[in-house]
């Protein structure tokens, strides 16, 4: 986290939320910073995975969190999360304002772990239940019931149902009596 190259890259791309997060790196049980060969192991042993916005409002960290089994903490004020008409994001993730990606976030998550462990566990259980919606290759559930393909088809069906009906075609019969 103290790597000057990481800080410089974040400054160049104006990633203020990521720079704020680097200030938390020295706190107990916090792992932030550059690449590590232990990334999957760290995620797999984590209750909360911080998901800051990427170069756009989107971030692949959300999906990494889901597959690692940790609760995504979404730090992107403008992101529109996928399949939001199918999955209830509030039931398995925490959305936190980017401007408050400070010690406030750390204190909030620590408070949840210390004083509401049953809530944290319920979020993690829900993560395990919804990740099938994001797994293109998963075989945990029937893909016709829970998969990205099913979600896309449901979304398209919803859009089709809300589209205006086409006008009836003009009559093609010859007019009698002319």
């Amino acid at each position: 986290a103290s790597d000057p190259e990481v800080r410089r890259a974040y400054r160049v791309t104006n990633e203020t939320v990521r720079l704020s997060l680097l200030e938390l790196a020295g706190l107990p049980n916090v792992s932030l910073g550059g690449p590590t060969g232990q990334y999957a192991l760290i995620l797999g042993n984590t209750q909360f995975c911080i998901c800051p916005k990427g170069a756009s409002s989107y971030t692949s960290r959300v999906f990494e969190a889901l597959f690692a089994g940790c609760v995504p903490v979404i730090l992107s004020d403008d992101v529109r999360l996928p399949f939001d008409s199918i999955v209830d994001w509030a039931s398995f993730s925490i959305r936190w304002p980017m401007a408050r990606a400070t010690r406030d976030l750390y204190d909030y998550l620590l408070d949840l772990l210390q004083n509401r462990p049953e809530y944290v566990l319920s979020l993690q259980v829900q993560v395990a239940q919804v990740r099938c919606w994001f797994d293109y290759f998963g075989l945990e559930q029937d893909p016709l019931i829970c998969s990205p393909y099913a979600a896309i088809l449901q979304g398209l069906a919803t859009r089709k149902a809300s589209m205006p009906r086409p006008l009836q075609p003009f009559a093609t019969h010859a007019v009698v009596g002319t």
Side-chain angles (χ1 to χ4, degrees), residues 106-126:
Y106 176 82
D107 292 340
Y108 175 77
L109 297 176
L110 187 60
D111 181 66
L112 287 178
L113 287 170
Q114 291 175 345
N115 299 312
R116 298 185 57 205
E118 70 289 339
Y119 174 65
V120 175
L121 182 58
S122 74
L123 292 171
Q124 289 178 299
V125 166
Q126 193 63 22

Side-chain angles (χ1 to χ4, degrees), residues 1 10 21-22 26 33-34 39 41 50-51 62 82 91 121 125 135 138 148 166 172 174:
Y10 289 162
L21 289 173
L22 288 177
Y39 186 66
L41 178 66
I50 305 299
C51 304
V62 172
S91 72
L121 182 58
V125 166
D135 190 353
T172 57

Side-chain angles (χ1 to χ4, degrees), residues 62-63 66 71-72 74 80-95 123 126 130 134:
V62 172
F63 305 102
L66 291 174
V71 175
I74 301 164
R80 173 141 188 244
L81 297 164
F83 311 140
D84 60 352
S85 64
I86 296 169
V87 296
D88 177 13
W89 283 88
S91 72
F92 63 90
S93 67
I94 296 170
R95 200 158 180 168
L123 292 171
Q126 193 63 22
V130 301
F134 307 96

Side-chain angles (χ1 to χ4, degrees), residues 144-166:
L144 295 175
I145 295 172
C146 186
S147 71
Y149 308 109
I152 290 167
L153 290 173
Q154 286 181 30
L156 290 172
T158 301
R159 284 185 182 181
K160 181 181 180 217
S162 68
M163 292 179 71
R165 301 269 182 227

